[in-house]
Amino acid sequence: MEILDQNLNVQEQHHEDHELQFHGDGAQYFGIVALNVLFTVLSLGLYYPWAKTTYRKYLWNESELNDSRFTFNGTGKEVFKGFLLVYLVVAIFYLSPFLVQMTGNFTLLPIIYGIVFLLMIAVLPLAIYGSFRYRISRTSWRGIYFDFDGNYKDFAGIFYLNVFFTIITFGIFSAWMRTRIMKYLLSHTTLGQNRLDFHGDGATLFGINLIGGILMYPTLFMYIPIWMKDRFNFTINNLTIEDQEKRRAFHSTLQSGEAWKTLMVNGLLLIVTLGLAFPWTVIRKMRMYFDNIVIPHDFDLDELSQADSSYTNATGDEIGDFLDIGIDF
């Protein structure tokens, strides 16, 4: 019994050696958001890429693993290039009625909207792929960059094939589509010599979404935090990191009570403050997630070596943000 206790103490020490923490402060983040919103408004939206980068730099830098902070190395200039493309698409969409009215040829309106719609469908895989690749490749820890070695052509093939299956099944296949996309993106992500992977299956995610969709309405949407917790746990519990010798699994300890309390309070804060508490809700949610991710205890962080990453094209990242898509928990 004494030997067992000693082993447990050793394991606990290993877990303590791999602490993942988030130190963000709501008041501080509110000041950053308020100032950048002001700059964005005064610049008629042109400052938005720099504001977006500032938010990321703060959130990344407040994230810590083993007493070392993460760093987001992207720049506003990189994001601005993608922003210009998005701005052009939005301008065409909103200016089309005025242009059609000036010409008097109203048959052009559905044609223009149809073209814009097809363009948006065409860039969906670019949005997901580019957004993920850019954020990953511009993130570092202890000076070591994450890297992404996927191929856009392969990803687009997977994306459109699964979109086809999702359409012909009236959306039922969407859970399998999501897991396959996550599998591709994460399996092509590395940190040093270690490669991430995702092992979740569509059937499990479909069950989670089915239960969440059924219980959401009779509970007056109060089941949503539990639904979000289940999706978060599904993602983390199916995430692994592997070197040349061993595959190690991540684990989530997030419980329904904590998720419900945190997310319901966040919702109430947003309602009572008319949205002004948004920075605090972001900090609260990130702290909840970070505090409940268990890093594999035998993952040797000291053996990590520099990964080669030089991808700085943020076009896909900006499109992904504009369309509100991408891979999340």
Side-chain angles (χ1 to χ4, degrees):
M1 188 66 179
E2 182 178 350
I3 296 177
L4 178 60
D5 291 338
Q6 291 176 351
N7 290 335
L8 289 175
N9 289 333
V10 171
Q11 291 180 2
E12 288 176 359
Q13 290 174 2
H14 279 303
H15 282 291
E16 291 176 358
D17 289 339
H18 287 53
E19 290 186 347
L20 186 62
Q21 297 177 322
F22 183 73
H23 302 282
D25 177 76
Q28 189 176 25
Y29 190 50
F30 175 82
I32 294 173
V33 171
L35 183 62
N36 282 271
V37 167
L38 176 62
F39 289 159
T40 302
V41 172
L42 293 178
S43 65
L44 301 180
L46 293 178
Y47 188 78
Y48 171 69
W50 283 268
K52 181 177 181 180
T53 301
T54 301
Y55 302 152
R56 283 199 188 139
K57 285 183 179 294
Y58 176 79
L59 296 176
W60 263 244
N61 193 55
E62 294 300 320
S63 306
E64 180 182 282
L65 175 60
N66 268 32
D67 300 321
S68 297
R69 302 292 179 100
F70 288 88
T71 302
F72 180 70
N73 302 279
T75 66
K77 182 179 179 180
E78 292 170 355
V79 179
F80 184 71
K81 298 175 183 177
F83 176 78
L84 289 178
L85 177 59
V86 172
Y87 192 82
L88 177 61
V89 174
V90 173
I92 294 174
F93 183 82
Y94 284 105
L95 292 178
S96 294
F98 299 101
L99 296 175
V100 169
Q101 189 174 11
M102 291 175 61
T103 61
N105 188 357
F106 291 94
T107 58
L108 291 176
L109 189 59
I111 296 176
I112 294 175
Y113 280 163
I115 293 175
V116 172
F117 177 76
L118 291 176
L119 286 174
M120 294 179 68
I121 295 296
V123 301
L124 278 175
L126 172 63
I128 300 174
Y129 179 91
S131 176
F132 186 87
R133 179 177 179 177
Y134 176 71
R135 298 181 195 191
I136 285 295
S137 64
R138 303 305 284 160
T139 298
S140 63
W141 178 78
R142 289 184 179 176
I144 302 172
Y145 280 78
F146 285 80
D147 199 12
F148 182 78
D149 57 8
N151 178 276
Y152 175 69
K153 183 178 179 180
D154 295 338
F155 177 79
I158 294 173
F159 177 84
Y160 284 121
L161 179 63
N162 283 272
V163 164
F164 172 74
F165 289 142
T166 300
I167 291 175
I168 64 175
T169 59
F170 301 99
I172 294 177
F173 196 77
S174 61
W176 283 265
M177 175 178 173
R178 181 181 178 87
T179 54
R180 291 178 180 182
I181 288 176
M182 293 176 70
K183 170 70 174 179
Y184 182 86
L185 295 176
L186 290 171
S187 66
H188 285 87
T189 300
T190 61
L191 175 61
Q193 69 275 32
N194 296 269
R195 181 171 298 275
L196 296 175
D197 204 352
F198 181 73
H199 308 277
D201 64 278
T204 301
L205 182 58
F206 175 79
I208 292 173
N209 290 339
L210 179 63
I211 294 174
I214 292 175
L215 296 180
M216 179 175 62
Y217 296 106
T219 60
L220 301 178
F221 303 100
M222 288 191 291
Y223 187 78
I224 290 180
I226 310 301
W227 188 0
M228 293 177 66
K229 179 269 298 183
D230 289 339
R231 289 168 63 95
F232 173 79
N233 287 348
F234 171 77
T235 300
I236 300 302
N237 290 336
N238 284 290
L239 183 64
T240 62
I241 188 165
E242 182 177 6
D243 57 21
Q244 296 179 349
E245 299 179 355
K246 185 176 181 180
R247 175 184 294 172
R248 302 167 178 85
F250 289 78
H251 178 63
S252 171
T253 59
L254 183 59
Q255 300 296 316
S256 296
E258 181 181 357
W260 194 88
K261 179 181 178 181
T262 300
L263 298 177
M264 288 300 294
V265 170
N266 280 359
L268 290 175
L269 286 174
L270 290 174
I271 294 173
V272 172
T273 64
L274 301 179
L276 290 177
F278 173 73
W280 280 272
T281 64
V282 171
I283 298 301
R284 285 169 49 82
K285 184 169 69 172
M286 291 197 67
R287 184 172 291 119
M288 176 189 73
Y289 286 149
F290 271 68
D291 288 349
N292 287 284
I293 297 177
V294 177
I295 306 295
H297 68 273
D298 58 346
F299 178 29
D300 193 350
L301 299 173
D302 295 327
E303 293 297 321
L304 291 176
S305 59
Q306 177 67 57
D308 181 21
S309 178
S310 60
Y311 189 78
T312 59
N313 185 349
T315 298
D317 177 65
E318 185 57 38
I319 295 174
D321 179 76
F322 169 67
L323 297 177
D324 195 27
I325 60 178
I327 303 300
D328 54 22
F329 293 127

